[in-house]
Amino acid sequence: MKQFLSRLFTIAACLCAAAAAAETGYKPQTVRQTPQYLSTDPAEVEDTCPGHDILKRFDCTKNNLPGYSCFDVYMVQGDPVDAERYTLLDQTVTAEPGTAEPRCTFEGEMTCDNFLKALNYNLDFSWFITNFPSSSFPQCGETYSCTRIACLKPAADAPDGSPRAQKLSCVFKKNQIFFLGAQITCRDKNAAPKTPGPQKP
């Protein structure tokens, strides 16, 4: 019962404050701190503003009294940071007859992560790109933004002396959205300090 009364009192106080703000001509203004990059994964972000809408920016209204603050998350279309620019959908390493062409340009383990780093996270123009049916991956049919790349490294020759190679094949989906976040505070624009104009001589 005490909790209920306390909650009821809080709601009533907010309503009274909002009414008082309306009477004084409260004009809400959103003060937004510098946005920060968060993630490409919507499950990794949290919006604490009313509505918890991670798709668009939140702006203060008369329902948000001066001094109200929350963390606003919103979606942006474009290129994420390098490390999150692509999502790996498939990785295979197979033995192939023939010479190692096109040859892998990186050292160490044959992984798609090493391959992508060697290409500076840029698959837009690469001679390692190979064609493949995008229908093989549902994620590619949704956005038509998938790329398969492949490269080879020399392996031990076959018993008959013919050349062999190891082939690394990777399918990446390009991420085209990411999320930014910023702390915002509501204030009364009418109460904001005015910039002094030029003084008369």
Side-chain angles (χ1 to χ4, degrees):
M1 185 66 178
K2 287 183 179 180
Q3 275 188 328
F4 173 76
L5 290 175
S6 175
R7 192 172 180 182
L8 190 64
F9 177 78
T10 302
I11 294 173
C14 289
L15 290 174
C16 290
E23 288 179 5
T24 57
Y26 169 45
K27 190 172 183 180
Q29 182 181 29
T30 306
V31 180
R32 192 178 301 272
Q33 294 186 8
T34 303
Q36 53 183 289
Y37 181 91
L38 299 177
S39 175
T40 58
D41 185 355
E44 296 294 323
V45 301
E46 181 181 3
D47 188 309
T48 65
C49 295
H52 309 290
D53 189 347
I54 65 172
L55 300 182
K56 58 185 180 181
R57 299 205 312 180
F58 176 82
D59 289 307
C60 298
T61 70
K62 288 189 176 182
N63 293 327
N64 313 116
L65 300 181
Y68 176 81
S69 182
C70 60
F71 190 72
D72 182 31
V73 176
Y74 54 95
M75 184 179 72
V76 176
Q77 290 190 334
D79 286 334
V81 295
D82 287 352
E84 293 189 338
R85 187 172 297 171
Y86 293 94
T87 297
L88 179 64
L89 300 182
D90 185 65
Q91 172 178 297
T92 57
V93 178
T94 56
E96 301 282 330
T99 57
E101 293 295 337
R103 184 168 297 199
C104 300
T105 57
F106 57 89
E107 300 295 329
E109 192 177 358
M110 289 187 73
T111 65
C112 293
D113 184 52
N114 287 338
F115 196 0
L116 188 60
K117 287 178 182 176
L119 296 176
N120 294 319
Y121 300 95
N122 186 358
L123 304 184
D124 291 336
F125 304 99
S126 172
W127 75 313
F128 297 105
I129 293 176
T130 61
N131 293 325
F132 75 102
S134 59
S135 57
S136 303
F137 299 89
Q139 303 94 322
C140 301
E142 294 169 2
T143 62
Y144 303 100
S145 59
C146 290
T147 303
R148 183 193 293 275
I149 56 175
C151 69
L152 297 96
K153 282 189 175 182
D157 289 345
D160 62 0
S162 58
R164 290 192 302 187
Q166 272 194 314
K167 180 179 180 181
L168 171 64
S169 179
C170 313
V171 177
F172 288 101
K173 174 183 176 294
K174 187 174 184 180
N175 297 318
Q176 302 179 73
I177 63 167
F178 57 92
F179 295 92
L180 298 180
Q183 193 73 26
I184 67 166
T185 303
C186 302
R187 72 177 182 183
D188 188 348
K189 191 172 184 180
N190 291 332
K194 297 181 180 179
T195 305
Q199 296 184 355
K200 294 182 181 179

